[in-house]
DNA sequence: CTATGCATATTATTTAATTAACAAATTACT
DNA sequence: AGTAATTTGTTAATTAAATAATATGCATAG
């Protein structure tokens, strides 16, 4: 029961990409797609695509391919995008505001209920109806509103402290933009976005073109 | 000559992490480190760390370990961080401003010379001495100033158009934040930051804890 | 209603990545 | 100085991932 066949991380990281392309197809009104066509779009091999999808069940039909709408909705369920998540953002600087402003997240079911900051100049300001509150109120806000996701967009010096508030408040997942490792108890899911690491990789490839293979 | 032993992407993506930890050690005044200690810090196995580093040469010493300052500087060179890159940002919304504001990039040698937008309300405003200009001037600005890196923080609808301006202007690398695949000629390095994919992965793991293994 | 071709699901194979093992070099201790 | 304890570089073994192959089931055309 413990070690049921877990889906590998490499597969999981590809799912959002499939989802995005299926969404594009849906918007174009295309309702049928083969793994071969998906391969051309995504750059992954057809074989890999079929294997990836079969981790979660046989969504296709021999001789036909995949139904775009069905596969899109199935992947949405697998990714948990059929639910609505309540979230808060710690750090109301440009990055925090950028995330609060981004419609794409809202549309995918990630609702930002409040931003928090310690800068008195920011407190009280609203970003698209979302109020910036004092970080001292964050813990009680999270508890009272049943917030599940905490987003860290503070400088790295504050990241751990914020993470601990999240932990105390019962947050289930953390989306961390600070270039620091945060330590919280194991059952909290932490997804890091290390922008500097991405930039450094760009820099590396610019200096070592031989190692570069384009991946979308 | 063509297929000299290329370093695998998975290795390259770990280098920035090593670099970051070494930087931390440097700031702490620690001048010696073993692969085993690095393993504890980073979560990678000691064996993997030694193998990764040996792709680029033997930086360590048997019985001693690695000299922090030396390894840090070597990795910096490998990543191309010993140079200064001139860059511009297309899209002066919150995200573009966040990047322009972020000292960390500046410190790593990524200099933002200008932001560009089509919104007349933004044009002329300065972010930390960096002026926002009309996107119509972008091509000539890039050419005149020898800009090497173009950063895309526009909505996805404009991303391809911006990428084409970058291509025409002789940009060498593109850091793309728009959730869209951009098509440019093969010798331009493209590094994508797909924030929605990261968020979807977080969502997946929150719904499928069994598949989650923390990776820093 | 049947035959042909298409495209999946699934298994086998190959390739890549990770981990383990160990000889050689160095440090640190007695 | 001599010996035990470290710790690397490197090769070998193992595990994981990607690709290829193939049998099966549907769709479509006549």
């Amino acid at each position: 029961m413990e070690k049921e066949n877990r889906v590998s991380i490499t597969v999981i990281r590809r799912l959002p990409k499939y989802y995005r392309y299926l969404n594009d197809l849906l918007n174009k009104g295309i309702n049928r797609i083969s793994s071969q066509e998906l391969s051309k779009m995504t750059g992954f091999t057809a074989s890999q695509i079929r294997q990836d999808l079969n981790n979660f069940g046989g969504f296709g039909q021999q001789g036909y391919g995949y139904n775009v709408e069905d596969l899109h909705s199935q992947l949405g369920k697998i990714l948990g995008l059929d639910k609505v998540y309540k979230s808060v953002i710690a750090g109301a600087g440009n990055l925090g505001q950028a995330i609060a402003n981004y419609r794409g997240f809202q549309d995918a079911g990630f609702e930002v209920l409040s931003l928090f900051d310690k800068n008195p100049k920011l407190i009280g300001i609203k970003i698209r109806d979302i109020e910036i509150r004092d970080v001292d109120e964050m813990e009680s806000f999270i508890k009272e509103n049943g917030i599940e996701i905490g987003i860290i967009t503070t400088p790295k010096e504050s990241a751990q402290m914020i993470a601990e508030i999240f932990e105390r408040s019962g947050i289930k997942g953390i989306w961390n933009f600070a270039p620091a490792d945060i330590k919280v108890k194991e059952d909290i899911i932490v997804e890091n976005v290390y922008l500097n690491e991405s930039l450094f990789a760009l820099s590396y490839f610019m200096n070592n073109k031989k190692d570069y293979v384009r991946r979308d």
Side-chain angles (χ1 to χ4, degrees), chain A:
Chain A
M1 186 78 187
E2 173 57 32
K3 198 199 168 192
E4 49 195 308
N5 52 335
R6 70 166 32 140
V7 182
S8 89
I9 285 185
T10 55
V11 173
I12 293 161
R13 300 259 158 206
R14 281 192 292 266
L15 298 183
K17 194 140 289 169
Y18 298 142
Y19 187 76
R20 177 161 64 85
Y21 278 99
L22 286 164
N23 195 54
D24 290 351
L25 288 168
L26 213 53
N27 289 336
K28 281 184 199 154
I30 297 166
N31 52 22
R32 172 183 169 175
I33 192 82
S34 70
S35 59
Q36 203 167 80
E37 291 168 297
L38 271 174
S39 169
K40 263 189 220 135
M41 294 171 67
T42 61
F44 303 128
T45 65
S47 188
Q48 184 169 55
I49 293 169
R50 290 201 299 277
Q51 274 211 343
D52 284 355
L53 296 177
N54 269 71
N55 278 287
F56 303 95
F59 301 131
Q61 193 82 147
Q62 283 116 322
Y64 178 87
Y66 299 88
N67 178 284
V68 173
E69 193 178 342
D70 177 58
L71 186 54
H72 179 265
S73 125
Q74 296 279 358
L75 281 178
K77 259 183 220 143
I78 290 165
L79 290 168
L81 303 178
D82 52 338
K83 301 173 188 165
V84 172
Y85 298 91
K86 294 186 201 166
S87 69
V88 295
I89 299 174
N94 285 117
L95 184 55
Q97 292 192 24
I99 292 170
N101 261 317
Y102 186 52
R103 286 262 173 213
F105 300 139
Q106 210 83 0
D107 296 346
F110 298 89
E111 198 184 348
V112 178
L113 271 75
S114 183
L115 293 116
F116 293 92
D117 209 291
K118 65 176 184 191
N119 182 349
K121 285 180 191 158
L122 289 173
I123 295 166
I125 291 175
K126 284 191 175 181
I127 311 294
R128 285 212 300 134
D129 295 343
I130 308 166
E131 193 177 335
I132 303 178
R133 294 184 173 79
D134 191 309
V135 71
D136 290 340
E137 301 169 27
M138 191 164 75
E139 185 166 349
S140 59
F141 186 95
I142 292 171
K143 287 176 180 166
E144 281 162 24
N145 293 278
I147 306 291
E148 290 169 292
I149 293 181
I151 304 173
I152 302 179
T153 57
T154 64
K156 66 166 184 278
E157 291 74 21
S158 321
Q160 180 60 31
M161 187 261 286
I162 295 291
E164 284 165 16
I165 300 176
F166 283 160
E167 182 173 1
R168 280 204 302 280
S169 317
I171 281 274
K172 298 207 180 71
I174 294 178
W175 200 23
N176 172 43
F177 284 80
D181 296 310
I182 57 176
K183 285 179 188 58
V184 288
K185 62 177 199 271
E186 275 298 316
D187 67 336
I188 298 178
I189 311 293
V190 178
E191 171 76 12
N192 295 301
V193 179
Y194 292 132
L195 295 181
N196 55 348
E197 293 184 5
S198 168
L199 186 58
F200 291 0
L202 172 62
S203 171
Y204 177 87
F205 288 122
M206 285 176 67
N207 285 281
N208 302 275
K209 288 203 174 178
K210 71 171 171 54
D211 290 334
Y212 181 63
V213 279
R214 185 164 295 172
R215 353 141 283 136
D216 301 302

